[in-house]
Amino acid sequence: MSILAAPETELLSPGHASCPGCAVALAVRFVLKALGPQTVVVIPPSCIAVMAGPLPLASMRVPVFQTAFETTAAAASGLARAFRARGEEVIVACLAGDGGTHDIGLQALSGAAERNEDFIYFCFDNEGYQNTGNQKSSATPWGARTTSTPRGKSTRKKDIVQIMAAHRIPYAATACPAYPDDLVAKVERAKGLRGTRFIELLCPCVPGWGIGDDASLRVVRLAVESKLFPLYEVEDGLRYRITREPAGLPVREYLSAQSRYRHLTEEGVSQIQEAVDLEWARLLDAGTHAGGVGAPLRLS
């Protein structure tokens, strides 16, 4: 299903509290349209929690369960099991940020994935704790300035999709709001499966990344077309498929569009380009060889 074929009904109301130009808000809108009204969402502290808002001013037209940072996957596991026990067909979806996924919520998420709990987990990755003032998370890339790494982060970004794929869950994928048809198709694919499904969405943050409020989609397209954020999916941790062939733009075009990278030297830019080329080669190699490792082990 393309975004044009998605239901016209909006499940995210206008007037919410996100910043002008927020890519997370657009991505949440697309995700909710693709999930449909028979959905219950679980949200930890994040920009999405602020966006969802409190009753009677809530912006989402589906039931929302706001939980603690650490417990998103645990809460979703319980809800999914309760609906199944009652014989109700309800999609349980987690809408979390990168801090609540890569860092604080990872233990519960890993445990749920190991048990293959039945929910779809969406990580809206804006590469930092943006709703509390742009502190670094383990999703913040090497070299990026944040308020807690004013000289640039000194460690690399955690590859959460590969971590989730290593759990051999039924489905893991990357997506972004700049390619809505690809995003919606992946949500549809996840809806058609059971068990733990995971989608990582790269979403630029206007103040945190130092971009204009009309630049989010252009910047995230540069991330995809420079191979820095490839769009791909993994089934059962084995079968890789790249869903968009990138143009292969120099990563410099992506970096120069954001003020958080303006302190980088030529050597720093070259190091990032080398890392992007290496990771792209590894992804191609995974797509070529990982499918031959063996069939997934699953009892039911």
Side-chain angles (χ1 to χ4, degrees):
M1 181 175 67
S2 71
I3 189 63
L4 293 177
E8 293 186 4
T9 303
E10 296 287 352
L11 299 177
L12 178 65
S13 301
H16 51 72
S18 67
C19 301
C22 175
V24 171
L26 184 59
V28 168
R29 179 187 168 205
F30 290 156
V31 165
L32 290 177
K33 282 176 78 73
L35 288 173
Q38 295 301 313
T39 301
V40 171
V41 298
V42 181
I43 304 176
S46 59
C47 295
I48 307 155
V50 176
M51 190 187 310
L55 289 172
L57 303 175
S59 64
M60 293 185 182
R61 296 173 181 170
V62 294
V64 175
F65 184 88
Q66 294 213 14
T67 188
F69 247 136
E70 303 90 338
T71 55
T72 310
S77 301
L79 284 170
R81 289 179 179 232
F83 284 123
R84 185 171 62 192
R86 292 167 58 94
E88 298 184 36
E89 286 294 326
V90 175
I91 298 170
V92 177
C94 305
L95 310 181
D98 51 281
T101 304
H102 295 233
D103 295 341
I104 302 172
L106 183 57
Q107 180 181 7
L109 177 58
S110 177
E114 187 274 332
R115 299 189 303 273
N116 199 27
E117 298 284 353
D118 189 24
F119 58 71
I120 310 176
Y121 194 109
F122 297 92
C123 175
F124 298 86
D125 177 9
N126 53 19
E127 300 188 329
Y129 290 85
Q130 305 296 359
N131 71 316
T132 55
N134 187 30
Q135 296 83 25
K136 74 99 175 173
S137 75
S138 59
T140 304
W142 180 89
R145 273 180 170 164
T146 68
T147 53
S148 54
T149 57
R151 301 177 66 180
K153 190 179 174 225
S154 59
T155 55
R156 65 173 57 241
K157 177 174 182 169
K158 188 184 290 181
D159 191 340
I160 192 69
V161 178
Q162 292 304 306
I163 292 171
M164 296 309 297
H167 287 74
R168 299 290 180 92
I169 58 175
Y171 188 74
T174 62
C176 73
Y179 297 94
D181 287 348
D182 178 83
L183 189 163
V184 169
K186 286 170 178 169
V187 177
E188 284 290 308
R189 177 65 180 141
K191 285 171 62 179
L193 300 170
R194 302 299 293 262
T196 306
R197 295 140 285 168
F198 181 89
I199 299 179
E200 171 94 344
L201 302 103
L202 186 64
C203 299
C205 174
V206 170
W209 292 24
I211 60 176
D213 58 15
D214 61 348
S216 291
L217 296 185
R218 179 172 61 83
V219 169
V220 77
R221 282 192 198 102
L222 289 172
V224 172
E225 301 302 340
S226 65
K227 304 177 183 176
L228 185 141
F229 187 77
L231 298 179
Y232 69 100
E233 57 190 4
V234 191
E235 293 185 352
D236 296 313
L238 298 171
R239 296 182 296 279
Y240 284 68
R241 189 173 77 90
I242 295 169
T243 58
R244 178 177 177 81
E245 188 66 31
L249 300 177
V251 76
R252 178 188 304 277
E253 294 188 25
Y254 169 73
L255 301 176
S256 63
Q258 307 165 59
S259 66
R260 62 177 177 158
Y261 289 117
R262 288 190 184 153
H263 62 288
L264 288 179
T265 62
E266 286 296 318
E267 182 182 4
V269 173
S270 297
Q271 287 184 46
I272 294 174
Q273 183 67 65
E274 290 174 9
V276 167
D277 293 342
L278 177 62
E279 292 303 318
W280 175 252
R282 285 180 177 173
L283 180 61
L284 293 179
D285 186 63
T288 303
H289 299 293
V293 171
L297 299 175
R298 187 161 297 127
L299 295 177
S300 60

